[in-house]
Amino acid sequence: MHHRIFIAFAIEDRWARDRLVGQARNQRTPFEWTDMSVKEPWSSDWKNRCRTRIRGCDGMIAFVTQNTANASGQLFEIRTAREEDVPLMGMYATQDNRPFVLPPELYGLSIVEWTWDNISNFLNRL
């Protein structure tokens, strides 16, 4: 089964999105990705397009780093996924810099290590 997954990340963590996409190609995983990374994410047009894109996805992977708490665009994406009942998985992008403060948007969400088993388990639940 092929899934469309939205990847939410702080712009400073763009490297993690790029790495996940590259790994997905190498692993031949059954998902395609999308995101809404832009330099100025707060126009109402961006928010509307972002909500539409998230609503069209089967799930969201939200990278979690020390940058997440201050990433207003990413936090909007996470809130939107929750409002639209899009399944959400938080995934640590790094193994260091923990513990750090999680923003309220992530409260109650299990944050997992970045492994293909965790990604596969998430995809299998969709």
Side-chain angles (χ1 to χ4, degrees):
M1 177 167 219
H2 194 78
H3 294 292
R4 185 169 174 84
I5 303 298
F6 192 100
I7 302 172
F9 58 96
I11 198 67
E12 298 87 351
D13 300 324
R14 179 175 43 242
W15 63 269
R17 184 264 329 254
D18 295 346
R19 186 173 143 209
L20 176 62
V21 170
Q23 285 181 335
R25 264 188 241 116
N26 292 340
Q27 297 288 328
R28 294 187 177 94
T29 55
F31 73 90
E32 64 181 81
W33 64 275
T34 189
D35 65 61
M36 288 291 289
S37 55
V38 293
K39 295 183 192 235
E40 296 177 28
W42 286 113
S43 73
S44 60
D45 183 51
W46 178 87
K47 286 182 176 181
N48 291 335
R49 287 184 293 124
C50 183
R51 182 173 298 277
T52 298
R53 189 169 290 181
I54 290 169
R55 202 181 291 139
C57 288
D58 301 304
M60 175 184 286
I61 294 174
F63 279 114
V64 178
T65 71
Q66 70 276 10
N67 299 314
T68 302
N70 296 315
S72 55
Q74 180 186 20
L75 296 176
F76 172 80
E77 294 165 348
I78 293 167
R79 279 192 307 274
T80 300
R82 289 190 147 184
E83 290 166 5
E84 299 294 338
D85 293 322
V86 172
L88 174 63
M89 178 177 73
M91 189 166 66
Y92 288 112
T94 61
Q95 293 184 356
D96 50 32
N97 299 321
R98 285 182 277 146
F100 43 82
V101 176
L102 291 178
E105 288 82 355
L106 293 174
Y107 289 176
L109 183 68
S110 175
I111 314 291
V112 301
E113 297 294 325
W114 183 345
T115 67
W116 281 107
D117 282 345
N118 285 334
I119 293 169
S120 294
N121 290 337
F122 175 66
L123 294 174
N124 289 335
R125 289 191 309 267
L126 298 178

